């Protein structure tokens, strides 16, 4: 039986020369399809974690270069390996046995001279002492000359419902850990968060060096498609079903919104497709004015008429001079 590829490009379904926009577009499509809140099929959560891990690597230019060059061994490579290679004149560095992207690089590592190779045409093993000096400012095993360095900030994607964005929420989420595997985080989703905004988890990013603090983790928010609500910025649009007589005579009808049921007045002669604006009833804004809610009028005809209803409509048709094909 065929096994699923662990290659990050295969997971996202993008070519190896995909640009950042292609990678992001593929991630959003897959994340919404496999998000555990949406997809309840077996294996969806594991698939979602793989998708997140692939995106976290391929969306970061530095990580992507390491992955393209070293494949599965990319986590062993220091973040500044390119600068280190340039300072030592060594070209491209890799742990011993590391293959290209998607390859199954073998053993070795950063522990000794046998763990390095050079990309120079002339070949030759690099002096591990020189490499440690270029990377850490001191000889191998010796003290480093620089002080504490803060860890790198990292970013992940978080897909939430319209209701969670409107009211806020507190939940536990599982994301790929920087060192491999997964890690659980407790996240407070602010009330009124919008598409594309970021939630900061202080001190949950990359590890620092020499006692430096950890970086921060930023969660990029995406609002999942909703069967009723359409969100753009802080404005929300929702369909408002009305009967033909309510549209013709005018009526006040109930409308379900993320903040509960409200009463909406449709004036006499309201046509299908008219947008009724409810000011301030859209997405809340803790730092300013809330968005608006737009009720999109949709005239709904009874699927079956009673004898009395049919009689009344026939009577209306006889006395009416209205021609909908010449209206407007």
């Amino acid at each position: 039986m065929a096994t699923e590829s662990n290659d990050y490009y295969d997971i996202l379904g993008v070519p190896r020369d995909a640009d950042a926009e292609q990678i992001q577009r593929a991630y959003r499509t897959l994340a919404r399809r496999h998000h555990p809140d949406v997809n309840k099929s077996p294996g969806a959560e594991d698939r979602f974690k793989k998708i997140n891990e692939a995106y976290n690597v391929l969306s970061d230019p530095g990580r992507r270069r390491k992955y393209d060059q070293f494949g599965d061994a990319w986590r062993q490579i220091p973040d500044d390996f390119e600068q280190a290679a340039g300072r030592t004149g060594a070209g491209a560095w890799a742990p011993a046995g590391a293959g290209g992207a998607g390859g199954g690089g073998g053993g070795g590592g950063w522990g000794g001279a046998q763990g390095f190779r050079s990309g120079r045409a002339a070949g030759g093993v690099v002096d591990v002492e020189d490499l440690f000096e270029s990377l850490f400012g001191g000889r191998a095993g010796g003290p480093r000359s620089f002080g504490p360095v803060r860890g790198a900030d990292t970013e992940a994607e978080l897909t939430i419902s319209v209701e969670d964005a409107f009211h806020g929420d507190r939940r536990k989420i599982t994301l790929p850990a920087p060192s491999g595997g997964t890690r659980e985080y407790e996240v407070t989703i602010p009330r009124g968060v919008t598409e594309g905004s970021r939630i900061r988890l202080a001190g949950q990013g990359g590890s620092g060096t020499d006692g430096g603090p950890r970086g921060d983790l930023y969660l990029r928010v995406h609002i999942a498609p909703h069967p009723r609500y359409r969100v753009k910025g802080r404005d929300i649009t929702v369909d408002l079903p009305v009967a033909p007589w309510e549209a013709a005579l005018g009526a006040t009808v109930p409308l379900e919104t993320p903040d509960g049921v409200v009463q909406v007045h449709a004036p006499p002669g309201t046509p299908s497709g008219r947008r009724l604006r409810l000011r301030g009833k859209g997405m809340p804004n803790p730092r300013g004015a809330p968005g608006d809610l737009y009720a999109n009028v949709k005239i709904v005809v009874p699927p079956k008429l009673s004898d009395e209803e049919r009689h009344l409509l026939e009577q209306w048709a006889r006395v009416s001079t209205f021609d909908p094909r010449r209206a407007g």
Side-chain angles (χ1 to χ4, degrees):
M1 184 175 67
T3 57
E4 185 178 13
S5 173
N6 287 321
D7 180 81
Y8 292 154
Y9 291 97
D10 290 344
I11 290 172
L12 294 184
V14 297
R16 309 199 85 77
D17 60 353
D19 59 25
E21 184 177 346
Q22 287 176 286
I23 290 171
Q24 186 179 64
R25 188 164 55 247
Y27 169 77
R28 289 184 177 182
T29 299
L30 292 171
R32 288 174 180 175
R33 184 185 307 159
H34 296 281
H35 193 278
D37 289 348
V38 177
N39 191 333
K40 303 300 183 182
S41 62
E45 184 173 356
D46 290 340
R47 176 69 176 164
F48 181 71
K49 291 174 183 177
K50 284 188 175 183
I51 292 166
N52 262 311
E53 180 178 353
Y55 177 75
N56 287 339
V57 173
L58 297 187
S59 63
D60 183 280
R63 292 179 186 171
R64 183 177 179 181
R65 284 194 296 270
K66 288 196 292 183
Y67 181 72
D68 287 344
Q69 187 167 343
F70 306 117
D72 293 340
W74 72 271
R75 291 186 182 87
Q76 304 175 36
I77 313 302
D79 290 339
D80 64 347
F81 78 100
E82 290 168 318
Q83 294 93 323
R87 290 195 296 268
T88 60
W93 299 98
W110 295 96
Q114 74 279 8
F116 302 94
R117 68 182 182 188
S118 170
R120 291 174 297 181
V125 177
V126 176
D127 187 338
V128 68
E129 299 291 330
D130 289 340
L131 182 59
F132 270 86
E133 185 171 9
S134 65
L135 289 175
F136 306 120
R139 308 305 290 174
R144 302 175 185 179
S145 61
F146 51 80
V149 177
R150 182 179 180 274
D153 290 339
T154 57
E155 185 170 298
E157 306 283 320
L158 176 63
T159 301
I160 62 175
S161 66
V162 173
E163 290 84 356
D164 285 346
F166 191 97
H167 296 286
D169 191 20
R170 189 169 182 83
R171 67 165 68 168
K172 292 182 179 180
I173 63 172
T174 301
L175 296 173
S179 57
T182 59
R183 181 176 174 185
E184 191 176 75
Y185 301 87
E186 190 162 314
V187 180
T188 298
I189 300 171
R191 184 171 186 265
V193 68
T194 55
E195 172 73 25
S197 58
R198 299 198 305 172
I199 299 174
R200 174 174 172 255
L201 301 183
Q204 300 298 319
S207 299
T209 57
D210 278 3
R214 297 182 68 96
D216 297 331
L217 170 61
Y218 289 90
L219 300 177
R220 180 78 63 178
V221 173
H222 299 294
I223 298 178
H226 195 281
R228 284 180 47 80
Y229 307 122
R230 300 179 292 281
V231 181
K232 185 175 181 180
R234 295 195 179 277
D235 293 337
I236 301 173
T237 299
V238 59
D239 288 339
L240 175 64
V242 298
W245 51 88
E246 291 174 329
L249 301 174
T252 298
V253 296
L255 175 65
E256 184 179 341
T257 76
D259 200 28
V261 177
V262 298
Q263 298 296 317
V264 180
H265 178 68
T270 297
S272 188
R274 173 172 288 180
R275 299 177 76 208
L276 304 176
R277 181 184 180 190
L278 283 70
R279 190 185 299 273
K281 293 296 184 179
M283 198 69 72
N285 184 359
R287 296 183 178 84
D292 298 328
L293 186 139
Y294 292 90
N296 188 46
V297 175
K298 185 177 180 181
I299 297 177
V300 182
V301 176
K304 189 175 181 180
L305 298 174
S306 66
D307 291 341
E308 185 177 3
E309 287 172 327
R310 181 178 296 278
H311 174 71
L312 290 173
L313 286 174
E314 289 171 347
Q315 199 172 19
W316 185 9
R318 283 195 297 270
V319 302
S320 177
T321 60
F322 175 68
D323 185 349
R325 284 153 295 281
R326 295 186 180 179

